[in-house]
Amino acid sequence: MEPLDQRRTDSDQEEGFGVQSRRATDLGMVPNLRRSNSSLCKSRRLLCSFSSEKQENLSSWIPENIKKKECVYFVESSKLSDAGKVVCECGYTHEQHIEVAIKPHTFQGKEWDPKKHVHEMPTDAFGDIVFTGLSQKVGKYVRLSQDTSSIVIYQLMTQHWGLDVPSLLISVTGGAKNFNMKLRLKSIFRRGLVKVAQTTGAWIITGGSHTGVMKQVGEAVRDFSLSSSCKEGDVITIGIATWGTIHNREALIHPMGGFPAEYMLDEEGQGNLTCLDSNHSHFILVDDGTHGQYGVEIPLRTKLEKFISEQTKERGGVAIKIPIVCVVLEGGPGTLHTIYNAITNGTPCVIVEGSGRVADVIAQVAALPVSEITISLIQQKLSVFFQEMFETFTENQIVEWTKKIQDIVRRRQLLTVFREGKDGQQDVDVAILQALLKASRSQDHFGHENWDHQLKLAVAWNRVDIARSEIFTDEWQWKPSDLHPMMTAALISNKPEFVRLFLENGVRLKEFVTWDTLLCLYENLEPSCLFHSKLQKVLAEEHERLAYASETPRLQMHHVAQVLRELLGDSTQLLYPRPRYTDRPRLSLPMPHIKLNVQGVSLRSLYKRSTGHVTFTIDPVRDLLIWAIIQNHRELAGIIWAQSQDCTAAALACSKILKELSKEEEDTDSSEEMLALADEFEHRAIGVFTECYRKDEERAQKLLVRVSEAWGKTTCLQLALEAKDMKFVSHGGIQAFLTKVWWGQLCVDNGLWRIILCMLAFPLLFTGFISFREKRLQALCRLARVRAFFNAPVVIFYLNILSYFAFLCLFAYVLMVDFQPSPSWCEYLIYLWLFSLVCEETRQLFYDPDGCGLMKMASLYFSDFWNKLDVGAILLFIAGLTCRLIPATLYPGRIILSLDFIMFCLRLMHIFTISKTLGPKIIIVKRMMKDVFFFLFLLAVWVVSFGVAKQAILIHNESRVDWIFRGVIYHSYLTIFGQIPTYIDGVNFSMDQCSPNGTDPYKPKCPESDWTGQAPAFPEWLTVTLLCLYLLFANILLLNLLIAMFNYTFQEVQEHTDQIWKFQRHDLIEEYHGRPPAPPPLILLSHLQLLIKRIVLKIPAKRHKQLKNKLEKNEEAALLSWELYLKENYLQNQQYQHKQRPEQKIQDISEKVDTMVDLLDMDRVKRSGSTEQRLASLEEQVTQMGRSLHWIVTTLKDSGFGSGAGALTLAQRAFDEPDAELSIRKKGEEGGDGYHVSARHLLYPDARIMRFPVPNEKVPWEAEFLIYDPPFYTAEKKDATLTDPVGDTAEPLSKINYNVVDGLMDRCSFHGTYVVQYGFPLNPMGRTGLRGRGSLSWFGPNHTLQPVVTRWKRNQGGGICRKSVRKMLEVLVVKLPQSEHWALPGGSREPGKMLPRKLKQVLQQEYWVTFETLLRQGTEVYKGYVDDPRNTDNAWIETVAVSIHFQDQNDVELKRLEENLQTHDPKESARGLEMSTEWQVVDRRIPLYVNHKKILQKVASLFGAHF
């Protein structure tokens, strides 16, 4: 990029970007930074934002680690400041220097040198920045030295500023002065840039000033924050600017930090300086100690971007290196240099066509072949797009532009041109992401690794649209197993759209879910997840039990099962039983952090190793569904549920889990979301069951009571009851089933009066008076019909009602009529009756058909209010009976039994809950009882306050407690109902009705009276006033409040009363379904039978099949398949109903209208573009026709036909060209690029030498190139005897004999005799832009040898592997120390020697002779020039490639070769200090040097192998 001060004056100010080619020296020094993740950063930002603790940390950390630069020596400059003041060479005035810089010191008299006279000091400008008068948005800023390490800056941003590690780095570059863009293009650019940043979590890096492209980016962020509902700060925009060029920077100076610093944006008074852009979120202000010097920030920005792009982003199980992309708008010469650097270093660039200048020049020629990008074409484009400054371009600059643009266009895979409305492009965000994927495809990865890398990027960006359009295409066929690692990543990071995409592309959950996958998922739960904390609690409890264990036990699936059982209820069995260590199919994983790294161990290797695992789980879809539900992932759970088979049970189980979690969730919003999702799954269960019930009632009812092995051997009905899913239980189909159970084997249409008659006169059963559901019962013997009748729950219920009424009547008779000192036979009968009730309650308590255990059954038993009432009534009866049997306490015993009678009567309410009329009313009464308790609390306040005041005013020192209670509570309470005390107003005052001294126990104490004792002395007006106020509030306000509460409760409950009644109806039906048929006290016979069966015969209890039925496997599979089919119908109906909703229709219409508007706009742009293309095509055709006519006429004239016609003169003027130029153009057109490319790269490798730019057309020596003035460079070698002289003088070179074998050195070229000019040989392939021999050893040809050692790739069975029918080769390659590429084991040779030096390093010395023999027997596949970046005008590389192929895997020489490969020290190899060897598959994606890859392609062609 050109000097920035010059850019200001040339109206070409630009904001730059660059990537250094050299590896950052501080890479690898950030082990702590690699562990940073988004959740940690987010929690840190939430906890510490704007806190004093954070400010103190920054105030101490920043000055210690970040420095600024100050000039310490004032040297007067010849230039004056804008204000006419004397300034130093650094640009600052006397006043702006520190005190020591103005005083004489050791530097006195010396010239100003920034390396000596600018010192680093602790920075004094950092903190929060607020732009005065613009917005309240708070940004971050820091002033730092240009020499600050990238690791320190990155640590500041991620750890102290709290920024999440980005998934993408977008560097925006271009014109730094304001420029005009079309409104539509500007809108598209702004929308797309912010969209890609917001959706991918990217950082946008700009120059940070309020001008040019930086202003465009800032306004884009501003528009987003104004229009979006998202919180501010979602888009991270980092401005890297030069401190010395910022206007009003004094406001930012705060030695202890500005929290905040107020900055004023003053464009009018900025002069040659610039203001910061108010829409950026963070500013890095680079200081070199000077004032007014632009471009200081570029080297630091380059290093920082390079450093960030080499960091690893870990999120959701995916670990990728942070990709970087350069976005270019407009720009001048500096921007071209920026693009060139980016492309050279492999950074993809997106050029926005239509933005102007450099961007448009590149966009215009990007589609042309490199051979057509000529100096004249670039000159023409510059004259169009740089009209104002075109005259200032020199010939050298135009040549340099041509060369750079050729190199840029040559690497098309890194160049993306965004054209508005063309090539199907509509959004900049898509273009940016497509550019990154296109660049990824160009990288050297093998087959699926390349596509896998692209998929990692798409998942990291969370852009499923890009994955659909760019990755899942016909170009590559994905294997489901290849998608398993990314499926895991998508699940962990909660990306439901990717999960859906992977399922659409063949991922089968039954194959995907393994033991290890589940462990991976559960160990990567979010720490904020409630289930995670419950798991940790289980692990901690186990650690306490295992006192000998030193570490917390590792998470296993049985720990998960324990927590799930708490949530699903103890009626379910453990979903994941504790495995036995002998048969557990367990794979050791590096938990808890799972990485999908581009380099190193990946989850893919996990799935490759675990393919042989036995899937331990019954239902993998269930396991994934549970995992999604416990994290409250709504969309993810919906997608997985749609894949489930046992879908009704799954939906009800999800509802249960969510409702249980919501009870413990402390966050109100999360709790509400869980309840909403639970309600959604309940509706799904209802929807599927409705479809089933409509299709087949009997099979639908089978689904209700089918034992689900997958859900802990429970049933759908049990799950619904456990979850209290009243809507589901109140469904008509379920109520019909419950009614069917209630009537047993009787027909439902039997009238109740028939049942009662048969109960009273059972011989009627032998007639046809009662009808049965099964016709066989009508024909069977009478005993079977009697058994079926009396086993029906409805009959058992009414028999128990009759029995209970008889018990109450007998109990009342004994209490009121026959309560003798000694119990009568009636009373003994009551004791027997009660004993039968106790036995029945005991049976209910111990009845455990599901094997839940006594504690659980006791818990369930006492959770029912009516059971508590039963136990209370029985215990009270026992207490009364005990008192009754003791003569001294006979009367208290009768009182207790009388109270107990009330409790037994209340038990009738439970009996009547079965009634459709009374049942709902009983529910309403229960709810109103709660209101009464709240009302009594309010009433007690008024009653006590009035009672105490009244008692204190009327009565003096009442000491009798019972009369105090009567006066304070009892009388006050009765006053509400109209029983007003007669003496309270003094009218009916009578001393005869009271006791003056309170000695009469049957009379209250007299109120305060006068000295005569006949007239009241208390203030009647006060007591009357208190009474009126009391009655006003108590009678009118509180009683009406109670009525209003009752009314509200009634209205609220009335809507759901039917559901509640239907839900509670099940409990009564289940109770009498499992109850013995005989009523008390005859039920004792049934209990005796049960006792014999359980204790004597050891027959376990079993639940009746009618409520819990275990089906045969075939029947169950058919039933589940049927349910699955109807679930699909339900989902289709839901989708159709969703589309038919008015809101959705309006949204669809709106989208269609927007699409039509976009298409119309695009059509207009396309038509104008099409016209331009047609004109250009027509112009090209006319040109070609003219050339053809000129050739025809010239040929005819040379053949003697006619003479030169005047009409042909114009054609000759138009199309005649010099022969040399014509031959050059033909050569370029025929050969494509045609010339060496790597040998003309501007930056010479391993040296800071820039070549002279040589465009394609100037490569041949025959082409005239008058301005060609390449620099001279020759590297000095350690061993001068093995190299030619430096060549800076002609005398030593005169002794060299070219084009012959000069001693041991062969200086002949494979391309024939080369030209020697002024004692220097000329490269036969043309100019390179550099004279001398560079880093090569010899002038002229430097001969190398490249042995290509290959063998067939074989499978485990020994067969040759094939790809696309062709056989596959493996090649022996080596990796040089500290190199990213592999290479063939060849290279330069010592003079007179056959084996290359590199090959000798990997072969043991005793094998050298044998390998030389193999080389002589090998096949020569190439001999000639090598396009190497080390080539110069006077020295170049030529090579001979020899193929050595081992046909047989048992070849003796192959085995000897492998045995004689050098063994290396693993520690040295790990540190990159030794050369390593490896057999790699021959493929076009093999990561070899380009030259070696071309040789390998020839070898593959030789054997007809895959490449």
Side-chain angles (χ1 to χ4, degrees), residues 1310-1357:
F1310 297 137
H1311 296 273
T1313 304
Y1314 48 86
V1315 178
V1316 179
Q1317 189 178 70
Y1318 307 118
F1320 291 97
L1322 295 184
N1323 191 318
M1325 293 299 159
R1327 299 182 177 94
T1328 64
L1330 185 68
R1331 296 187 300 115
R1333 60 176 171 81
S1335 58
L1336 297 178
S1337 300
W1338 316 99
F1339 283 99
N1342 289 251
H1343 291 286
T1344 63
L1345 175 68
Q1346 293 294 349
V1348 186
V1349 184
T1350 57
R1351 68 183 183 186
W1352 295 116
K1353 176 177 172 59
R1354 299 179 184 273
N1355 53 30
Q1356 293 180 350

Side-chain angles (χ1 to χ4, degrees), residues 1045-1167:
M1045 291 169 64
F1046 283 168
N1047 183 60
Y1048 174 77
T1049 302
F1050 182 84
Q1051 295 295 333
E1052 184 183 31
V1053 176
Q1054 183 68 22
E1055 299 176 3
H1056 307 287
T1057 304
D1058 189 57
Q1059 285 183 7
I1060 299 171
W1061 170 73
K1062 288 177 178 178
F1063 180 81
Q1064 294 183 350
R1065 176 173 176 251
H1066 167 273
D1067 295 337
L1068 192 67
I1069 292 173
E1070 185 178 21
E1071 178 185 343
Y1072 284 94
H1073 181 270
R1075 200 180 185 111
L1082 300 178
I1083 199 173
L1084 289 172
L1085 298 175
S1086 299
H1087 291 156
L1088 181 62
Q1089 180 192 7
L1090 286 174
L1091 190 66
I1092 295 172
K1093 286 175 67 176
R1094 300 289 178 269
I1095 296 178
V1096 179
L1097 301 179
K1098 305 293 185 181
I1099 300 175
K1102 292 184 179 179
R1103 189 179 291 273
H1104 198 281
K1105 286 187 177 181
Q1106 207 167 4
L1107 289 178
K1108 193 170 185 178
N1109 187 16
K1110 183 172 176 59
L1111 303 177
E1112 295 293 333
K1113 288 187 178 180
N1114 293 337
E1115 184 182 4
E1116 184 179 24
L1119 187 65
L1120 291 178
S1121 299
W1122 176 72
E1123 182 192 25
L1124 184 63
Y1125 166 73
L1126 293 175
K1127 179 200 69 177
E1128 297 298 330
N1129 288 350
Y1130 163 73
L1131 292 175
Q1132 290 177 4
N1133 291 336
Q1134 288 294 108
Q1135 190 175 4
Y1136 175 76
Q1137 292 175 8
H1138 178 72
K1139 290 181 179 179
Q1140 295 302 313
R1141 290 191 304 175
E1143 301 88 351
Q1144 187 63 34
K1145 286 186 174 181
I1146 293 172
Q1147 184 178 350
D1148 293 342
I1149 293 172
S1150 175
E1151 290 176 356
K1152 290 178 181 178
V1153 171
D1154 292 340
T1155 304
M1156 285 298 298
V1157 171
D1158 290 339
L1159 288 174
L1160 290 173
D1161 290 342
M1162 285 177 59
D1163 183 62
R1164 174 179 55 79
V1165 175
K1166 281 183 177 180
R1167 277 185 293 176

Side-chain angles (χ1 to χ4, degrees), residues 458 461-469 472 497-499 501:
W461 301 331
N462 197 21
R463 290 298 297 264
V464 73
D465 56 329
I466 297 295
R468 287 183 185 276
S469 61
F472 288 91
E497 291 300 323
F498 272 101
V499 173
L501 178 64

Side-chain angles (χ1 to χ4, degrees), residues 142 164 210 355 368 417 447 528 572 687 1092 1465 1472:
V142 65
D164 295 344
H210 189 64
S355 57
L368 298 176
V417 178
S528 58
T572 61
I1092 295 172
D1465 185 357

Side-chain angles (χ1 to χ4, degrees), residues 99-118:
E99 186 177 355
V100 68
I102 307 172
K103 296 179 179 180
H105 49 63
T106 57
F107 293 138
Q108 191 70 30
K110 295 184 179 181
E111 293 184 358
W112 191 81
D113 185 354
K115 294 181 180 180
K116 297 179 180 179
H117 301 153
V118 175

Side-chain angles (χ1 to χ4, degrees), residues 1358-1370:
I1360 299 177
C1361 299
R1362 294 176 180 268
K1363 188 171 185 179
S1364 303
V1365 185
R1366 292 179 178 269
K1367 297 179 181 179
M1368 299 180 69
L1369 284 171
E1370 286 184 330

